[in-house]
Amino acid sequence: MPGIHEVRRLPYSAEQMFDLVADVGRYAEFLPWVVATRVRSNSETEMVADMLVGFKSLREKFTSRVDKQRPDALQVHYVDGPMRDLDNRWTFRSLPDGGCEVDFCVDFTFRNRVFEALAGQYFDRAFRRMVAAFETRAAQLYGSSSSSAQSVA
């Protein structure tokens, strides 16, 4: 099962980063390969959403349920779609000197062997583009800071 684990220190609050990641309805505006999203239901503690992802001529839709523990964590549970498994966790920890630490972990397996092969071939590069997209979005929403993000892992 392909997977990645990344810890980043960012100059934004845990609340700001939680809100950015929890705003699934806007992912198509800034995340590569996200074609569209639809939030089916959303409360303070849980969200159910569909996401259409595409790469070249391939398009797949999947549904997930997100458990929200504001401002500390988001846990994504796979419901339906092209994958066999998907585990995704975000945790946000405020730092004493300001900013926060974002811990992101994702593991997945596709049912479609073509997607699995593409994911294995491009996973690291694609992940880095997605992390950069979240960081760029945070700077657009909350302002850039002279202290740059740094990888801890």
Side-chain angles (χ1 to χ4, degrees):
M1 177 185 296
I4 199 96
H5 179 223
E6 180 89 8
V7 178
R8 307 281 289 178
R9 291 181 184 205
L10 300 172
Y12 312 106
S13 72
E15 290 85 0
Q16 287 173 317
M17 291 309 298
F18 177 94
D19 290 344
L20 188 155
V21 175
D23 194 5
V24 173
R26 301 193 78 157
Y27 278 10
E29 295 177 21
F30 68 95
L31 278 180
W33 307 293
V34 175
V35 177
T37 57
R38 181 180 70 156
V39 176
R40 293 183 184 193
S41 64
N42 195 10
S43 73
E44 287 296 312
T45 59
E46 182 181 274
M47 174 191 327
V48 176
D50 299 325
M51 187 177 302
L52 180 64
V53 294
F55 181 77
K56 297 191 179 188
S57 64
L58 298 172
R59 297 271 191 271
E60 291 284 354
K61 181 185 99 170
F62 68 92
T63 303
S64 58
R65 180 176 50 82
V66 181
D67 290 332
K68 301 188 290 184
Q69 298 173 337
R70 188 174 201 281
D72 302 315
L74 294 160
Q75 178 74 37
V76 179
H77 305 280
Y78 182 69
V79 175
D80 186 40
M83 293 179 225
R84 190 170 309 139
D85 296 302
L86 172 68
D87 295 309
N88 183 351
R89 177 182 44 85
W90 294 84
T91 57
F92 310 94
R93 185 174 64 88
S94 295
L95 298 172
D97 58 343
C100 73
E101 184 175 89
V102 178
D103 187 321
F104 174 75
C105 180
V106 63
D107 294 302
F108 61 88
T109 305
F110 283 101
R111 286 188 187 124
N112 181 321
R113 291 186 189 271
V114 173
F115 263 48
E116 187 73 33
L118 284 172
Q121 187 177 4
Y122 296 105
F123 186 67
D124 188 58
R125 186 171 40 178
F127 175 76
R128 293 190 194 295
R129 277 190 66 191
M130 291 182 74
V131 168
F134 275 104
E135 292 176 9
T136 299
R137 181 67 168 180
Q140 291 169 345
L141 293 175
Y142 310 126
S144 61
S145 173
S146 59
S147 65
S148 62
Q150 51 185 315
S151 180
V152 177

